[in-house]
Amino acid sequence: MASNLTGGRLIFMGKLRDMAVALMVVALSGCVPPSSGGPGVAQPPSVVSPKTITIATLVPIPGFGPWDIGTTQGGWAALGELASNGLVTEGSGRPELRIAAQLPSFDDESIALLPDGRMQVTWHLRPDVRWHDGAPFTSDDLAFSVQMYQHPELPKGNTASTIGQIQRVETPDPLTAIITWRSAFAGGASLDLRTLWPYPSHLLGEAFQGDKQTFRGLPYFNTDYVGLGPFRLVDFGQGESQTFERFDNYYLGKPKIDRVIVRAIPDPNALYVNIKAGAVDMTPDQTMPLNLFLQLRDEWQPTGEGNVLQRQGIWRYLMVQLRPEFARVPEVARDVHLRRGLLLAIDRDALRESVLPGVANTSADSFMAPSDPRAPLVGQPFAALRYDPNRALAEFSEGGWRVSPDGRISNAAGERVEIPIRTSVQYPQEIAIVADYWRKLGLGVVEETASAAQAQDSEYKAKFPQIDVSGRGFNEAVLQYFDSRLIAAPENRWLSANVPGYNSPAFDRLVDQVSRSFDQREQGEFLRQAGEMLATDLPVLPTYFAVWLAAVRQPIQALRDDYAPVVQATAIMRHAYLWDLA
């Protein structure tokens, strides 16, 4: 209700402003002699309201530091390219130039594999890129950003798997950066905003030499942010209501929209009411539950009030807490039979149809996007783990659980087994379905729902008590979430990618082999092996392949060409400088 009142207050204040402007125009026109319409007669100036778009997220924007760029939940990560840009952006599964003047290639030797196994990638930069304070972007900024990310006292977020592989950055001139990688790394030729968010050396370089905790707390990373994107921050609004204004010197051309307002509305139902009422113009994916997006789509179709857009989502799964010190049912972490039984107890086809009725290509039997050409090589490693309650009970028995005379499942000590399962406010439907399947077999289930704020708390997320309704990426981007070198821990402020704590040196080697391969068929073979290992060890229990939905009201011209079938979350607003009002 508070969000609705806030939205109404904003609309009311906007009307008052418009009325005041109208009265001023009338007053001014009364002081001017009537025009005869003849040539040379001055006309009163027309008042043009700035073109403004309001975007809603589920959570406040915490800031613009690498330690704040760790999750896409709540929709705020989708806003990255409003205010900043990477060397490239990901468009429809392929790199699209941004700060870089050209893509590195073996053909022109801007990608070179060295005799000792290292790799060098030469990036040539555009000469017309400017920070929002007017300073030119140079190769020194790129080198400084890598140095900043690599410092041991600063958290890396999800960039650790990439940045840790960089040995050094050389800057022979302001528009050239040569990055030397410790080994061959296919991702080194497509550094987007998600993998390397640029920071200005001229604003942060001196402060970086001092205390790192003080550095982390600099106003730059929130209220005073200076970026490279089409819109510049003018009011941080404590992250709750931010205002961005058009950056006229944006290197791809002056944006058509004058102002973008980003509002945090932590209640998905309130967010839905606001966009229906017109107080919000747009909301990205992972803000409202899918059923609300689908309801909005059905309501808008006959009226033409707006559009609900669809793209490839992430691989959804139930994340298993593999660290006994955090698990309330530690035997689940120790025994794969119990994890396998939990998965076999769920009718994943029925779950998928309930969550995404009538939507094709949503099977979670593989983490590969169906449209990826390597998907047939990887196959469907989880296909053998179909719904089978009897087999589930047999697996429980192998793991030491028994069915008591009253039909309840007990552990080896004779105690009732109660599985804690946690979800976020965006996924209320699937937790209820999963819990119901487990209860039917005799398990006790404790359902927990994390608030939007808790979903942004990295330590809270890492210490989930047993099962977490979750999901991450697709294709090889999934692999980092099971890399034992990236386990979330106090040392990295719980911001690293591997939240469940899966630890397998053999899997780590496959991660490296995938990243070092430039051959599609070879990549497919390594990905197949990785999928089979995950299906054997079950650090997660796959449920379905998500579909991401975003909502845009008319007459906003935005996202229609950006919400590509396969695109990274941080890139869906890559064409914000072209947005307009019809």
Side-chain angles (χ1 to χ4, degrees), residues 244-548:
F244 298 85
E245 290 187 351
R246 180 183 70 195
F247 181 51
D248 289 347
N249 293 323
Y250 184 56
Y251 59 94
L252 292 179
K254 184 168 70 173
K256 299 178 180 180
I257 294 294
D258 299 298
R259 181 183 300 141
V260 176
I261 296 172
V262 179
R263 292 177 52 200
I265 303 177
D267 181 351
N269 293 297
L271 196 160
Y272 173 81
V273 169
N274 273 265
I275 196 166
K276 275 280 293 177
V280 167
D281 300 306
M282 180 193 308
T283 187
D285 52 51
Q286 301 202 69
T287 51
M288 295 191 298
L290 289 171
N291 65 303
L292 286 182
F293 272 116
L294 295 174
Q295 181 177 331
L296 186 64
R297 178 198 63 187
D298 294 343
E299 291 178 352
W300 275 354
Q301 279 179 344
T303 66
E305 292 178 72
N307 296 283
V308 173
L309 308 171
Q310 176 180 321
R311 71 177 177 92
Q312 175 69 64
I314 61 173
W315 190 47
R316 297 287 302 167
Y317 49 68
L318 305 177
M319 188 161 53
V320 182
Q321 180 60 264
L322 297 178
R323 289 180 276 191
E325 65 268 30
F326 304 141
R328 291 186 201 161
V329 191
E331 62 265 34
V332 174
R334 294 191 293 262
D335 198 321
V336 71
H337 288 290
L338 300 178
R339 301 196 291 275
R340 192 177 298 121
L342 290 172
L343 180 57
L344 291 167
I346 304 168
D347 187 339
R348 293 188 284 144
D349 291 334
L351 169 64
R352 188 168 70 243
E353 182 59 31
S354 178
V355 175
L356 296 171
V359 180
N361 296 326
T362 57
S363 169
D365 288 336
S366 173
F367 54 82
M368 298 295 293
S371 58
D372 191 284
R374 299 166 300 177
L377 299 172
V378 178
Q380 298 183 320
F382 294 88
L385 298 170
R386 293 289 183 191
Y387 177 53
D388 190 334
N390 292 327
R391 188 179 164 199
L393 290 173
E395 292 287 350
F396 289 161
S397 178
E398 288 288 333
W401 289 353
R402 299 289 183 271
V403 179
S404 302
D406 60 359
R408 299 184 177 189
I409 292 179
S410 303
N411 61 21
E415 302 164 331
R416 173 80 185 278
V417 175
E418 291 199 343
I419 304 293
I421 180 171
R422 178 189 289 174
T423 190
S424 61
V425 291
Q426 298 108 302
Y427 303 104
Q429 188 178 8
E430 60 195 86
I431 188 176
I433 295 171
V434 169
D436 186 56
Y437 278 116
W438 288 346
R439 289 186 179 117
K440 285 177 181 177
L441 278 188
L443 289 167
V445 183
V446 180
E447 299 175 49
E448 302 176 4
T449 299
S451 68
Q454 287 172 324
Q456 299 298 303
D457 185 326
S458 298
E459 182 174 358
Y460 175 83
K461 290 193 301 179
K463 292 182 177 180
F464 66 99
Q466 195 57 67
I467 302 293
D468 185 82
V469 179
S470 188
R472 298 287 191 278
F474 49 82
N475 299 349
E476 59 263 55
V478 165
L479 304 186
Q480 65 174 315
Y481 299 104
F482 307 102
D483 188 329
S484 64
R485 296 160 294 189
L486 300 177
I487 292 177
E491 301 78 50
N492 51 49
R493 296 177 177 84
W494 307 99
L495 286 166
S496 205
N498 185 345
V499 176
Y502 181 60
N503 191 336
S504 169
F507 189 86
D508 297 346
R509 287 192 291 272
L510 283 173
V511 173
D512 292 340
Q513 287 172 309
V514 171
S515 69
R516 293 169 185 171
S517 174
F518 291 86
D519 180 78
Q520 191 174 90
R521 179 164 291 277
E522 187 178 58
Q523 289 174 355
E525 171 58 25
F526 293 139
L527 289 166
R528 182 190 65 78
Q529 294 178 38
E532 291 178 352
M533 191 172 296
L534 292 177
T536 299
D537 295 342
L538 291 178
V540 296
L541 314 178
T543 50
Y544 63 94
F545 227 118
V547 170
W548 285 158

Side-chain angles (χ1 to χ4, degrees), residues 44-93:
S46 60
V47 177
V48 179
S49 298
K51 294 181 179 180
T52 301
I53 290 178
T54 299
I55 302 175
T57 61
L58 195 64
V59 296
I61 296 178
F64 302 93
W67 38 85
D68 294 318
I69 309 162
T71 179
T72 58
Q73 288 194 20
W76 85 267
L79 309 180
E81 293 197 2
L82 280 178
S84 198
N85 282 171
L87 288 166
V88 301
T89 186
E90 290 292 330
S92 301

Side-chain angles (χ1 to χ4, degrees), residues 96-142:
E96 185 178 310
L97 291 172
R98 281 300 180 263
I99 298 171
Q102 63 188 61
L103 287 175
S105 168
F106 284 105
D107 295 336
D108 62 6
E109 298 184 342
S110 54
I111 302 177
L113 298 179
L114 305 180
D116 59 5
R118 294 178 300 155
M119 181 179 78
Q120 280 189 342
V121 179
T122 300
W123 288 94
H124 297 288
L125 309 177
R126 292 179 60 120
D128 53 352
V129 180
R130 294 288 183 272
W131 293 98
H132 290 159
D133 64 356
F137 177 84
T138 72
S139 56
D140 286 341
D141 295 318
L142 203 60

